[in-house]
Each structure stands twice: as structure tokens, then as C-alpha cells.
Amino acid sequence: MERDIILEVRDLSKSFGGIKAVDSLSLNLKKGELLGIIGPNGSGKSTLINIITGFLKPDKGKVLYKGTDITGLSPYKIANIGLVRSFQFIRPFYKIPVYKNVVISLCSDRVKRLKGGSFGRRDEVAIDLLEELGFERDSRILYKETSEIPHGYLRRVELARCIALNPDLLILDEILSGMSKPEVASIIPVIKRLNDQGLTIIMVEHRIKELFQIAHRVIVLNFGRKIADSTPEEVMQDQTVRSAYIGKAKINFRR
Ligand SMILES: Nc1ncnc2c1ncn2[C@@H]1O[C@H](COP(=O)(O)OP(=O)(O)OP(=O)(O)O)[C@@H](O)[C@H]1O
Ligand SMILES: [Mg+2]
């Protein structure tokens, strides 16, 4: 395997009853890439991410991370080696203050190992990170019970929770959904900056216009299969991709 390949998915398949959610799918990801994954609803995007991150076992195929076979490892072990994901259906701890959700990441085995056993000032580190994601550090929002804040804010907390884990590969499953336009406009440069600093990122998105502004490469899924794997420009021109979206949700390919 090439040394600069951080993730390799080989011939992955997963069915639910009669539905082939992921169908003989292969892909490579280079270190430092920002890869977009798009596709109509139900095309297998989240199933693919769930397999890569250990939440589902494939019927067939392999996932290699940094050259090691991680197929079937537990989600905990996978996150612990730096492959971190966000959830399409977020599940924060609702009964604690907002910023404490990020503190929990900072208490993980991974962060303790990387930052040493005595990683102090966790509250402050969490609030610094949330500030980078657009929260004002003195705003009452950060100290409110998590159940009380709007959904768009929770998406940013979800992103902070992932970044706090110090990932080597970050997979974002529809992190922009439910965010307002201004929120998206403020978060896109943050994601781009993380990538510019060397973090490898996969973004599963329906917000195609925004995704295409920052993705180096885009993979398109349809019925669990890869129907395109190219630059955003080429994907936009691809007739197969366009027909996969006809009659589906209004996908705006224009930049
Ligand atoms: N746990 C499950 N049990 C049964 N069927 C499932 C399960 N998870 C996914 N599926 C089915 O597998 C297919 C792929 O679903 P998946 O959630 O991966 O799609 P997706 O591309 O992420 O869609 P969306 O854009 O709506 O998030 C769908 O037909 C879905 O109904
Ligand atoms: Mg999904």
C-alpha cells in the first residue's frame, strides 16, 4: 500500500434484508485530502461510515486504516487510534452544560495518552475550542443545559466534540444539516483551516454547494454503489450523477 494512503476500503458490502445498502464499494483516501461523499437519500453513505468506524460489521470486504486492517474493531478502539466521526443523528449528553460535552472528549483515553496523564484545565481548553467554532466565550449558551439550545448550535458542539479528540482522520456525517446559512458560512472556513493544517477529512453532505467549495475530490453513491469519483468540477458535469438526482431532493449543483 502507498505510504500516503490513510484509509483504504476494499470491496465492502452490507445488506439489510433484501436491501443492498453498500454494494461492493472500494475507495482510497490520501493523507491530507478533503473528500466529499454525496448521494441521494438512502444511497448508503451513513452505512459506509458506520462500517468504517466500527458501528456496523460488513457482510464482505475490508477497511484498512494507516495500513492496518481495522474491520470489525469496536468504535472505541477505532476512535482511540484517531479515526473520529460525527453522527448524522447527534446524541449529546443533554443533561449537562453545553461545554461539558467537549470536556468529556478531553477526558478520553486518546487525549490523555497524547497530552500526557495530567491534562489539566480541561474546561478552559473546551471553551477555547468552542470559541474557535463561533461561540462567544462568555455567552450564557455555553453554560446552559444542553437540552435547551437550538439544533444548529448542537451541530457545532458535535464538531467540537470530534476535534477535541485530536483526530488523524475526521469523518463528518452531515455536519452542516440543520445549520442556518450564516452558521454554515462561518463553519466552512473552520473545516477548511483544519484541513489546511493537515487533518484528513471526509464530509458526507447534502449541502453540495458549500461542500464543493472546499472538497478536493467527490465520491457519488447511488444504491450503495460508487457512480463517480472525481473533482467537484467533473462531478458537476457528470450525466450519470445528474440523472441519479433527478426527481430527488432539490440538489443545487450551481456554485
Ligand atoms: N439499521 C438498518 N436496518 C435496516 N435498513 C437500514 C438500516 N440502516 C440503513 N438501512 C437502509 O439502508 C439504505 C442506506 O441507508 P443509509 O442510511 O446508509 O443512507 P444515506 O445515504 O446515509 O441516506 P441519508 O442521505 O438519508 O442519510 C437505506 O435503504 C436504509 O433504509
Ligand atoms: Mg445518512
Side-chain angles (χ1 to χ4, degrees):
M1 190 156 97
E2 273 184 69
R3 270 183 61 214
D4 64 343
I5 300 285
I6 187 165
L7 183 78
E8 189 183 349
V9 168
R10 277 191 206 156
D11 201 24
L12 220 55
S13 289
K14 176 78 186 174
S15 295
F16 297 106
I19 297 169
K20 280 198 162 179
V22 173
D23 189 2
S24 308
L25 195 94
S26 298
L27 66 87
N28 278 338
L29 183 68
K30 279 193 189 153
K31 242 181 179 174
E33 256 193 309
L34 200 166
L35 173 73
I37 299 183
I38 65 169
N41 293 115
S43 56
K45 305 179 297 294
S46 295
T47 303
L48 171 66
I49 302 314
N50 287 336
I51 297 171
I52 292 173
T53 52
F55 287 85
L56 279 176
K57 288 202 184 351
D59 301 332
K60 173 168 86 80
K62 275 194 169 130
V63 179
L64 289 96
Y65 172 67
K66 296 181 178 173
T68 304
D69 187 350
I70 60 161
T71 327
L73 286 190
S74 70
Y76 163 78
K77 281 190 179 152
I78 291 174
N80 197 32
I81 53 175
L83 204 175
V84 173
R85 58 89 53 93
S86 73
F87 289 91
Q88 179 174 358
F89 303 103
I90 51 176
R91 31 191 191 186
F93 293 100
Y94 282 106
K95 289 289 167 197
I96 59 175
V98 170
Y99 79 95
K100 286 284 186 193
N101 275 282
V102 181
V103 172
I104 288 171
S105 284
L106 297 171
C107 296
S108 64
D109 289 343
R110 174 169 175 81
V111 177
K112 281 187 196 157
R113 189 177 70 244
L114 294 175
K115 308 276 177 186
S118 61
F119 185 63
R121 299 176 28 250
R122 291 193 179 97
D123 286 6
E124 215 166 302
V125 173
I127 289 164
D128 286 349
L129 182 49
L130 286 159
E131 196 177 24
E132 281 175 42
L133 295 183
F135 290 94
E136 283 178 35
R137 69 183 304 118
D138 299 325
S139 133
R140 280 182 43 220
I141 287 254
L142 291 182
Y143 308 93
K144 279 192 169 175
E145 194 176 286
T146 304
S147 59
E148 291 175 17
I149 73 164
H151 189 76
Y153 287 35
L154 289 181
R155 289 264 167 208
R156 278 190 278 151
V157 176
E158 173 74 351
L159 180 57
R161 178 190 72 72
C162 293
I163 298 169
L165 282 167
N166 222 309
D168 293 328
L169 167 54
L170 175 60
I171 304 185
L172 301 173
D173 194 353
E174 296 199 31
I175 197 73
L176 305 177
S177 88
M179 282 192 199
S180 66
K181 278 216 157 196
E183 276 179 309
V184 172
S186 71
I187 231 58
I188 284 285
V190 175
I191 295 172
K192 179 162 178 4
R193 191 165 65 240
L194 288 166
N195 177 246
D196 288 343
Q197 289 164 355
L199 178 60
T200 313
I201 300 176
I202 296 177
M203 284 180 83
V204 172
E205 265 310 325
H206 284 295
R207 309 279 282 252
I208 290 180
K209 202 172 118 203
E210 290 87 355
L211 172 68
F212 280 23
Q213 288 167 10
I214 56 172
H216 300 133
R217 181 161 64 100
V218 175
I219 285 179
V220 188
L221 299 190
N222 198 26
F223 296 110
R225 286 184 161 268
K226 193 165 81 172
I227 59 165
D229 183 346
S230 194
T231 62
E233 289 75 18
E234 281 171 1
V235 163
M236 267 190 292
Q237 304 301 325
D238 191 310
Q239 276 314 314
T240 324
V241 173
R242 286 179 169 269
S243 35
Y245 278 110
I246 290 172
K248 303 277 178 2
K250 284 179 216 122
I251 302 285
N252 185 359
F253 280 100
R254 274 173 294 151
R255 292 239 217 178

